[in-house]
Amino acid sequence: MLGKWFTASERRGIAFVAPGLLVTTLLILYPILSVLYYSFVNEGSAFVGLDNYSSVFRSPLFGKMLGNTAIWTVGTVALAFAIGTGAALLLNQDFVRGRNLWRTVLMLSWITPGVVKAVVWKWLYSYDFGMLNHMLMSLHLIREPVSWLSSTSLALPSVMLVQVWETFPYAMLMMSAGLQAISKDLYEVADLEGASGTQRLRLITLPLLKDVIFIALLILIIWSLNGFTLIWIMTQGGPAGSTEVLALSIYDRFRDFDIHGASAISVLQLLISLVFAIWYIRRSAKEV
């Protein structure tokens, strides 16, 4: 049958590609289709339309969860990218010595396992014996210990700080690679023309790094949207849902055996991720 439409060389290529397609179908396509199916049926496998989604929307914590997700994503991505870019620009300067050593040290926060980071930071934030409270009290910046992870107003910013500390090295690595690819001749010409540092950054560096910036921001956004480990280990979504985000809500519903509600939220998270994926695909298509 295949011989009618494909040459012998193409049939051999299909034989090599087929196992990968099969694995992709089993590990990606089938779970996605299963989640879609469960989001539209009830416990008796009867089609209920958008009832599961309606139930999710009516949840008293849904609005707060979306707000937390937006704050979490925008805040962590913006800060991680800004700090990573600043570190990359600094380490790219000629007067900095031991640049590779500094990059290696800064990368430690990224390559350390997520569970380890979450546990260590939870201990640092501890109200009773945390090192952070001890240091701030020693410096007379606070008079009494602060409940970093138990306060409804401080819990989310505290976990966001850890997420930024964890992900900014990736932005630094991407921007450093992009900076090293820029010809130094461009900066020499700019110096001869009397361009200031701000002008060099605005007219040379950032325009030439636009593709790197796009990829770095896209990856950071996806990581933030799917962030789970830090929040779960450090706060488990509390206190009072102040750190509840989409990824954590999915887990909570699965833990409560609400498979259909969890599937509905999973589809919502997938749709949000697809917005950025389509954005990337369309941008890539324009550049081909």
Side-chain angles (χ1 to χ4, degrees):
M1 181 68 70
L2 291 176
K4 295 180 179 180
W5 297 289
F6 301 101
T7 65
S9 177
E10 289 172 338
R11 289 197 299 272
R12 285 195 297 270
I14 292 173
F16 283 110
V17 172
L21 290 176
L22 179 61
V23 171
T24 301
T25 301
L26 292 175
L27 297 182
I28 299 178
L29 186 59
Y30 175 73
I32 290 176
L33 293 177
S34 297
V35 168
L36 283 171
Y37 169 75
Y38 283 119
S39 71
F40 289 108
V41 300
N42 59 17
E43 289 78 2
S45 297
F47 180 75
V48 295
L50 299 176
D51 286 355
N52 292 324
Y53 294 91
S54 177
S55 176
V56 169
F57 295 151
R58 290 197 305 267
S59 172
L61 287 178
F62 180 73
K64 190 171 187 177
M65 177 187 64
L66 281 185
N68 288 341
T69 303
I71 294 172
W72 166 266
T73 303
V74 174
T76 57
V77 170
L79 287 174
F81 180 77
I83 296 173
T85 300
L89 290 171
L90 178 61
L91 293 176
N92 196 53
Q93 302 302 312
D94 293 332
F95 64 83
V96 177
R97 298 290 180 248
R99 281 178 280 188
N100 291 333
L101 175 61
W102 283 110
R103 288 193 182 101
T104 301
V105 172
L106 293 175
M107 289 292 293
L108 291 177
S109 63
W110 183 37
I111 63 177
T112 304
V115 174
V116 175
K117 287 179 282 196
V119 171
V120 170
W121 274 92
K122 187 175 182 179
W123 174 77
L124 289 174
Y125 278 135
S126 173
Y127 178 86
D128 296 315
F129 50 85
M131 184 62 69
L132 180 59
N133 277 329
H134 175 73
M135 291 176 59
L136 293 177
M137 291 177 67
S138 299
L139 295 172
H140 302 290
L141 296 177
I142 58 175
R143 295 183 178 181
E144 57 184 20
V146 177
S147 302
W148 300 101
L149 300 179
S150 301
S151 168
T152 55
S153 60
L154 294 176
L156 184 59
S158 297
V159 183
M160 286 174 61
L161 176 63
V162 182
Q163 174 75 0
V164 171
W165 171 79
E166 177 186 24
T167 55
F168 90 85
Y170 170 77
M172 178 193 71
L173 182 65
M174 292 289 289
M175 298 299 286
S176 294
L179 287 169
Q180 292 175 13
I182 298 176
S183 174
K184 293 187 179 296
D185 294 340
L186 296 174
Y187 293 112
E188 293 175 359
V189 172
D191 290 337
L192 292 175
E193 295 293 332
S196 64
T198 303
Q199 290 174 323
R200 288 170 32 144
L201 178 66
R202 181 170 57 87
L203 300 176
I204 299 177
T205 305
L206 293 181
L208 293 177
L209 290 178
K210 63 180 182 179
D211 292 333
V212 176
I213 292 172
F214 175 78
I215 296 297
L217 286 175
L218 180 65
I219 298 299
L220 289 173
I221 289 171
I222 293 175
W223 282 350
S224 291
L225 283 174
N226 292 280
F228 171 80
T229 303
L230 285 177
I231 300 177
W232 171 250
I233 293 178
M234 296 181 70
T235 66
Q236 298 186 6
S242 59
T243 59
E244 186 83 3
V245 295
L246 278 172
L248 204 62
S249 181
I250 295 170
Y251 174 78
D252 288 340
R253 286 180 178 266
F254 269 118
R255 188 180 56 177
D256 296 335
F257 300 102
D258 182 8
I259 305 300
H260 307 284
S263 298
I265 298 178
S266 297
V267 172
L268 293 176
Q269 185 172 12
L270 175 62
L271 291 175
I272 295 173
S273 299
L274 281 177
V275 171
F276 297 102
I278 293 171
W279 177 36
Y280 171 71
I281 293 171
R282 293 185 61 181
R283 179 184 174 89
S284 300
K286 290 180 181 178
E287 295 177 353
V288 174

